[in-house]
Amino acid sequence: MNEKAPTAVALDDATVAFRLGDGRVYTAVEKANLAVAPGEFVAIVGPTGCGKSTLLNVAAGLLKPAGGNVRIFDRALPGLNRDAGYLFQADALFPWKTALDNVAIGLEIAGTPRSEAVRRAREWLASVGLAHFGSRYPHMLSGGQRKRVGLAQVLIRNPKILLMDEPFGPLDAQTRQVMGNLLLDLWNADRKAVLFVTHDLEEAIALADRVVIMSAGPGARIIGDWKVTLSRPRDIFETRMKPEFHDLHKEIWSVLKGEVMKGYAQSAQAAEAV
Ligand SMILES: Nc1ncnc2c1ncn2[C@@H]1O[C@H](COP(=O)(O)OP(=O)(O)OP(=O)(O)O)[C@@H](O)[C@H]1O
Ligand SMILES: [Mg+2]
């Protein structure tokens, strides 16, 4: 990418290190470079434990890198990234609040009058296909329905950047595809910059404009960056049938496979050392 091109999220040589309990320092990510343009959908794929969530936390301003810079819309990020909405890997709904109140809460905290927050929460619940589920508590919803509420909860605040950490991870394969199509519909209507972490290369290719691969840690880096030129709007079920999809999958997997094997070998060694 041309250096002058505007970016929504840019990591320049970002290094992230953690101090372990015994005083040692573990460098999880070393000199990672990544740029997401406004409105671009970028998927990050990499072996378990390589540093994908760490990179999202850096982009969210929750974690300060030990080296390098983070820029949001081309300005240094001084603290929390207020332009970003974060959809966590685990459910982050309040169990004591209804689906409607879970969606409305972000606006209420920001000072929107309750009646207005509730009106907009109803609209968002309808947008994610849950118009009739507003009065249910999270434990009365399926895993997929909870993810829909989570999506509405983040999108109601209209963030310019969406950070998603394996948001559909715990769902079954079919529900993941349905959720992927819902996400693509919402994104098509209002193109935000998306940084989407997933283990699933197929999901990454089906959703994203670019797929970025991370190496196994320690000192994980971004080792590959592929443009996905499959036409939009996309339907995930159909996109996965296309020959271009399979060609790209084969190409990226040839790089990713080695890193996945390294990632597993390293976790096994770490387990033996305990
Ligand atoms: N607070 C911490 N202290 C020490 N080490 C940490 C801390 N947070 C993460 N790590 C380590 O940093 C590495 C990257 O962790 P991270 O959670 O970013 O991985 P990930 O790629 O998201 O993995 P997964 O795919 O399993 O979710 C791991 O080896 C992890 O053990
Ligand atoms: Mg993670």
Side-chain angles (χ1 to χ4, degrees), residues 18 20 26 28 47-54 89 166 199:
F18 296 106
L20 303 177
Y26 178 79
T48 180
C50 72
K52 301 179 296 296
S53 299
T54 299
Q89 198 162 350
E166 306 202 32
H199 273 111

Side-chain angles (χ1 to χ4, degrees), residues 4-183:
K4 294 257 162 62
T7 53
V9 179
L11 306 182
D12 307 321
D13 284 341
T15 294
V16 188
F18 296 106
R19 186 166 291 279
L20 303 177
D22 58 9
R24 281 179 304 147
V25 172
Y26 178 79
T27 304
V29 176
E30 194 158 6
K31 297 201 169 181
N33 285 289
L34 176 67
V36 183
E40 189 181 29
F41 196 131
V42 174
I44 303 181
V45 188
T48 180
C50 72
K52 301 179 296 296
S53 299
T54 299
L55 278 194
L56 280 196
N57 288 338
V58 167
L62 295 170
L63 201 58
K64 201 171 156 40
N69 296 305
V70 188
R71 287 176 293 123
I72 301 300
F73 291 105
D74 302 307
R75 290 187 181 187
L77 179 64
L80 210 56
N81 180 353
R82 303 206 177 272
D83 288 321
Y86 202 152
L87 202 62
F88 294 94
Q89 198 162 350
D91 279 340
L93 301 179
F94 298 111
W96 62 88
K97 283 189 179 289
T98 62
L100 186 68
D101 283 339
N102 261 292
V103 179
I105 182 86
L107 291 184
E108 287 185 79
I109 288 173
T112 305
R114 171 146 176 93
S115 56
E116 169 68 4
V118 166
R119 185 186 66 74
R120 283 169 55 194
R122 279 193 210 289
E123 285 174 7
W124 270 106
L125 275 180
S127 305
V128 298
L130 292 179
H132 303 295
F133 291 79
S135 60
R136 296 218 195 172
Y137 289 88
H139 75 274
M140 302 167 165
L141 297 167
S142 71
Q145 289 166 340
R146 283 199 294 274
K147 289 291 172 195
R148 286 168 188 258
V149 176
L151 201 53
Q153 191 183 50
V154 169
L155 290 176
I156 196 171
R157 293 180 47 244
N158 197 20
K160 294 188 193 122
I161 299 166
L162 204 49
L163 304 174
M164 307 181 84
D165 195 354
E166 306 202 32
F168 311 142
L171 306 176
D172 66 82
Q174 279 161 348
T175 310
R176 283 171 82 110
Q177 297 202 20
V178 171
M179 288 301 294
N181 274 342
L182 170 67
L183 175 63

